[in-house]
Amino acid sequence: MGLTSRSLLYTVVFVAVLCVGLTVWLWPRLSGRGALPVLGRLGSILVTQLSIMSVVLLAVNSANSFYGTWGQLLGRYDRSPGQVTAVTDTNTGTTVDAAKGGLIRPASSQSTDRMGLPEGPKDKVGAVESVRLVGRRSNVVEPAFVYLPPQYFQKQYERQRFPVIVAISGYPGGIDNLSKYLQIPKTASELLAAKKMQPTVIVMLRPTIAPPRDTECVDVPGGPQSETYFTKDVPEALRSAYRVGHEASAWGAMGYSSGGTCALELAMRQPSVYPAAAALSADYKIKNDLTTGNLFGGGDEAKQREREHDLIWRLKNLPVPKVSVLVTSSKKGEKNFKETEKFLKAVKEPMFASKIILDEGSHNFTTWRREISPSLEWMSKQLVFPQDVNN
């Protein structure tokens, strides 16, 4: 039985209930004095507690896919990079300027140490800036890391605008997860050095704009305007302070877990802003839960809004957007594998899809680090560079 299979969980639940029943039944027989009755009582308590804890741990792991297989639980991970497979044919030197509108402000609270970049000057190794991004329409100020490639600081590129990847963490993780655990700046730097990726600005954000609530990149009726933040405020703020592309062809979104869901939702709902998206272990629809609260309001309009955030429903019932997407999953260990297959089967022109399907993986950073390098390579091929000249 697989580590995340329901049959294993049900079996362990049965064993736990059996252990509790046996303990209750045997307890009077173990009530005597002496070493054997005492050892019997201790043994029955220990076995019962272990069985109950096993149920709890298996249920938590099954819900979150921290370990997808027995081998991963024992520390045996395959760390080789994933391979991108096309599903559909696709062949048919200035830093933050706080004065320009004040939409990007330097932040001292977020450390940019240990980002994985090599030592050296900015025009040789690039840089990561810690900033606060001001959303005029969504009325929020959010933390962000901005990775600037070495070319951004080189004289021959001083009049060029760079493509942009908006990288979104999972919930409840913050932007530190993108730099420390997913290692985006380090990986991008290595790919640039190996000429496997074009010079790209990468902004790292969290998916919620109203923590601790999980806003899921949704414009909540009467509440946080998360989709507006990502589709209007983020591009406006970055263009006000950095030399980044003004055309949509230079922009893409990517993320892991709920951040991957967010990236797909943004691309398919707002293709004129993000015509490319890479989603690592994403879901394909957004639903209300304890962390989100009511995202869609009330009445019949709420049901329609929820349907429109179901990406498979959109592919079957609404005009298909002209976007390119990359999705990832694992045959063993990822609970989204079957939904990923359904999503890929529903994709049709003018939309194009590619995939990374691992034989074995889990809902954790060990798996996502195998996917981030090929995902960045794939994304780089979707974005146009150089962009228009900065006058």
Side-chain angles (χ1 to χ4, degrees):
M1 289 182 284
L3 183 60
T4 58
S5 67
R6 290 191 177 185
S7 57
L8 176 63
L9 180 60
Y10 294 157
T11 299
V12 175
V13 169
F14 174 77
V15 171
V17 172
L18 183 62
C19 287
V20 171
L22 286 174
T23 297
V24 172
W25 182 64
L26 291 173
W27 197 258
R29 301 169 184 267
L30 301 173
S31 61
R33 297 181 178 180
L36 288 178
V38 170
L39 288 174
R41 291 196 294 271
L42 289 174
S44 63
I45 292 173
L46 178 62
V47 171
T48 301
Q49 292 296 321
L50 285 175
S51 63
I52 293 173
M53 284 303 301
S54 296
V55 170
V56 173
L57 293 174
L58 280 172
V60 171
N61 184 68
S62 180
N64 296 279
S65 299
F66 296 121
Y67 300 96
T69 66
W70 293 104
Q72 290 173 3
L73 181 64
L74 298 173
R76 296 196 296 269
Y77 282 95
D78 182 357
R79 290 178 167 81
S80 60
Q83 297 294 321
V84 176
T85 303
V87 179
T88 49
D89 184 5
T90 60
N91 293 323
T92 45
T94 302
T95 58
V96 171
D97 184 351
K100 291 186 178 180
L103 300 181
I104 296 285
R105 302 172 183 174
S108 58
S109 59
Q110 294 282 348
S111 173
T112 57
D113 295 337
R114 300 185 302 277
M115 290 289 186
L117 299 181
E119 296 292 332
K122 293 180 180 180
D123 62 348
K124 300 296 182 183
V125 302
V128 177
E129 297 186 341
S130 177
V131 301
R132 290 178 298 157
L133 192 154
V134 179
R136 290 194 306 115
R137 299 167 185 81
S138 55
N139 196 30
V140 296
V141 180
E142 283 291 298
F145 287 145
V146 180
Y147 166 75
L148 301 171
Q151 291 80 1
Y152 192 90
F153 304 98
Q154 296 172 6
K155 186 173 180 58
Q156 62 266 40
Y157 292 93
E158 65 182 3
R159 299 181 66 237
Q160 295 292 339
R161 299 188 187 275
F162 289 76
V164 183
I165 296 174
V166 175
I168 309 169
S169 70
Y171 176 86
I175 57 176
D176 285 333
N177 286 357
L178 293 163
S179 59
K180 183 177 180 180
Y181 298 114
L182 198 56
Q183 301 176 347
I184 283 181
K186 177 178 184 292
T187 305
S189 176
E190 292 171 349
L191 290 172
L192 276 170
K195 301 187 183 304
K196 294 181 178 181
M197 180 179 177
Q198 62 183 328
T200 305
V201 171
I202 304 175
V203 57
M204 290 161 269
L205 302 167
R206 59 187 180 185
T208 178
I209 64 169
R213 184 179 183 181
D214 182 10
T215 52
E216 288 277 2
C217 296
V218 173
D219 278 352
V220 181
Q225 301 296 288
S226 189
E227 183 173 322
T228 295
Y229 169 75
F230 280 99
T231 58
K232 292 184 172 60
D233 290 339
V234 170
E236 178 187 54
L238 290 172
R239 287 167 180 152
S240 75
Y242 293 102
R243 300 196 319 274
V244 295
H246 284 195
E247 302 297 326
S249 58
W251 287 72
M254 72 182 305
Y256 68 88
S257 190
S258 58
T261 305
C262 185
L264 281 180
E265 292 275 347
L266 293 174
M268 293 185 63
R269 290 175 58 82
Q270 302 288 345
S272 62
V273 181
Y274 297 106
L280 282 56
S281 301
D283 292 323
Y284 300 96
K285 60 183 173 182
I286 293 174
K287 300 183 293 185
N288 291 328
D289 60 30
L290 291 176
T291 64
T292 66
N294 185 355
L295 294 173
F296 307 110
D300 293 336
E301 292 182 356
K303 295 178 181 179
Q304 179 60 21
R305 279 192 286 266
E306 185 170 2
R307 279 192 294 267
E308 290 177 359
H309 282 85
D310 182 333
L311 299 183
I312 296 176
W313 182 90
R314 291 184 70 91
L315 287 171
K316 294 179 179 179
N317 295 277
L318 298 178
V320 176
K322 187 177 181 180
V323 295
S324 296
V325 300
L326 169 68
V327 297
T328 80
S329 189
S330 304
K331 296 177 183 177
K332 293 182 179 179
E334 277 281 19
K335 61 182 180 181
N336 79 332
F337 178 61
K338 290 184 178 179
E339 285 299 301
T340 298
E341 289 186 311
K342 290 181 182 178
F343 175 80
L344 292 173
K345 288 179 180 178
V347 170
K348 52 191 174 185
E349 292 185 348
M351 183 174 173
F352 298 106
S354 298
K355 63 181 179 180
I356 298 175
I357 303 297
L358 304 179
D359 290 331
E360 185 177 294
S362 298
H363 204 73
N364 58 29
F365 287 102
T366 302
T367 296
W368 297 325
R369 280 195 295 270
R370 296 177 60 194
E371 299 166 343
I372 188 60
S373 180
S375 296
L376 285 171
E377 284 189 59
W378 177 89
M379 180 68 78
S380 182
K381 295 175 182 177
Q382 314 306 313
L383 308 181
V384 173
F385 179 82
Q387 269 284 321
D388 47 350
V389 174
N390 183 45
N391 295 315

